[in-house]
Amino acid sequence: MTNAVAMRTITVTAPAKVNLHLEVLGLRSDGFHELAMVMQSIELVDRLTFSNTADAQLHLSCDQPDLSIGDDNLVLRAAHLLRQRSGLNELGATIHLEKHIPIGAGLAGGSSDGAAALVGLNALWGLGFSDLDLEGLAAELGSDMPFCIRGGSQLCFGRGELLEPLPTISDPLAVLLVKDPRVSVSTPWAYQRCRDVHGSSYLQGEVAFEQQRQILRQESWTQPIRAAEPPPLRNDLQPVVAPETPAVEIGLRLLHTLPDALAVAMSGSGPSCFALYQSFRTCEQARSRLQREFQQAGLLAWCCRLRPCGAKIEG
Ligand code: C5P
């Protein structure tokens, strides 16, 4: 008799997101900000490979040496939390993270990797948690992480963890994303800065918050986004982060010079910025038009299709 575990391997793609709308409503009693957001997954993905082991160890490796692979990494935090909630402490896995989403960019790369760990290990270990269960676990680990489980287009309220899915976008829209690889923005700093500058005009209390949520629900967001009627992008962190972060100012200025962009904004707490395009082809044309300027400014640029889902098991 042998108790050898049959070796299985699962690969999960973990997409980046951009904020089509990020509205800071006020401050909560837990110290976090009350937000009203529209988040959108994009086809810029990390890839995580999970294999089960019989040694009850959780081991992470990564192709980027500057990223921590210790217990502070959201992938391992997610793996430990999932295993603990399953009550099956004998479960083990090796996880390899292939990183493509820039770090500290406002694109939820770390959150998406953590969400992918929940989705991948849930399947690998056959635990049978629902997406809703996984979103609940994700909310314990980070504000953007619940969105990253199902992704696509969603309204995100509360700290970001209260999700209301939006219709899938049928137009073949794309984003031209730019980021200076030498610059990252600390999310706590961005929110603290917002509080310092705008705290005195924050809304107070649940009734006022709910009124703003209702406005967002009734705006055009409940219809699939269409190139013919591009959404008015908004990011309340942009006016506080941009003046302190030259890479954001430069990125926004260059993107605004493109005549056929539908709209331009910073994503999350920055420093990545993006322009919305009606098609992948017009997006690529815009990138080649500004190739020299991006290079001179030290900005990397990606063309990404919008993605209708979040973390996804491949194959
Ligand atoms: O939840 P997460 O770890 O991503 O948040 C990082 C930091 O960003 C928090 O510690 C807080 O300073 C700030 N934040 C906030 N309000 C939110 C989300 C994040 O103030 N809704």
Side-chain angles (χ1 to χ4, degrees):
M1 175 135 153
T2 171
N3 61 357
V5 172
M7 173 82 158
R8 283 182 69 211
T9 296
I10 285 181
T11 299
V12 179
T13 47
K17 60 83 184 154
V18 290
N19 294 85
L20 301 178
H21 185 98
L22 192 166
E23 192 177 346
V24 176
L25 301 182
L27 200 60
R28 299 151 52 102
S29 52
D30 61 6
F32 279 76
H33 284 81
E34 184 70 28
L35 304 176
M37 301 190 284
V38 178
M39 300 231 257
Q40 173 64 52
S41 304
I42 59 172
E43 288 291 356
L44 173 61
V45 301
D46 290 341
R47 189 163 271 108
L48 292 92
T49 309
F50 304 88
S51 303
N52 55 335
T53 61
D55 60 1
Q57 300 291 310
L58 294 168
H59 181 263
L60 174 66
S61 59
C62 179
D63 63 352
Q64 264 198 35
D66 46 346
L67 191 70
S68 163
I69 48 170
D71 281 343
D72 56 328
N73 189 300
L74 273 172
V75 170
L76 278 184
R77 290 181 61 204
H80 281 289
L81 182 65
L82 185 74
R83 185 173 67 174
Q84 185 210 328
R85 291 304 154 82
S86 75
L88 301 168
N89 292 331
E90 70 279 13
L91 295 172
T94 58
I95 307 167
H96 182 70
L97 169 58
E98 191 186 305
K99 201 77 198 142
H100 299 282
I101 305 171
I103 299 161
L107 299 171
S111 297
S112 193
D113 295 341
L118 293 175
V119 169
L121 292 172
N122 184 41
L124 185 78
W125 291 335
L127 300 177
F129 285 113
S130 67
D131 282 348
L132 212 59
D133 295 331
L134 298 182
E135 284 167 3
L137 294 178
E140 295 181 37
L141 297 169
S143 304
D144 282 349
M145 218 164 124
F147 165 80
C148 298
I149 300 280
R150 277 185 285 183
S153 316
Q154 299 195 48
L155 292 170
C156 309
F157 298 126
R159 282 189 295 127
E161 86 288 14
L162 302 176
L163 306 174
E164 297 181 18
L166 289 168
T168 300
I169 297 165
S170 49
D171 278 14
L173 301 179
V175 294
L176 173 57
L177 190 70
V178 295
K179 167 162 194 297
D180 186 328
R182 300 158 296 186
V183 178
S184 62
V185 170
S186 149
T187 305
W189 170 82
Y191 280 105
Q192 183 59 48
R193 187 90 195 100
C194 184
R195 189 177 167 181
D196 293 344
V197 178
H198 297 296
S200 58
S201 58
Y202 278 177
L203 297 176
Q204 306 278 343
E206 180 53 27
V207 173
F209 294 160
E210 184 54 25
Q211 268 169 4
Q212 287 306 113
R213 290 183 203 122
Q214 203 47 29
I215 291 172
L216 198 59
R217 288 187 190 105
Q218 283 161 1
E219 278 174 3
S220 50
W221 294 111
T222 46
Q223 302 300 316
I225 302 169
R226 293 189 313 118
E229 281 176 73
L233 302 182
R234 169 174 173 175
N235 184 340
D236 287 353
L237 296 178
Q238 185 178 312
V240 292
V241 171
E244 310 275 332
T245 318
V248 173
E249 296 270 28
I250 294 166
L252 290 172
R253 184 169 50 73
L254 287 175
L255 293 175
H256 274 296
T257 63
L258 291 163
D260 44 358
L262 301 176
V264 170
M266 186 180 85
S267 182
S269 53
S272 50
C273 299
F274 66 99
L276 191 62
Y277 274 87
Q278 63 179 4
S279 72
F280 192 69
R281 196 173 55 83
T282 51
C283 188
E284 285 192 313
Q285 285 167 348
R287 180 176 56 180
S288 21
R289 200 173 312 149
L290 281 192
Q291 201 168 10
R292 259 219 357 243
E293 286 82 350
F294 288 149
Q295 246 167 26
Q296 279 166 356
L299 296 174
L300 297 179
W302 298 260
C303 292
C304 313
R305 292 186 168 84
L306 305 191
R307 174 168 160 128
C309 63
K312 188 160 176 255
I313 297 171
E314 283 197 338

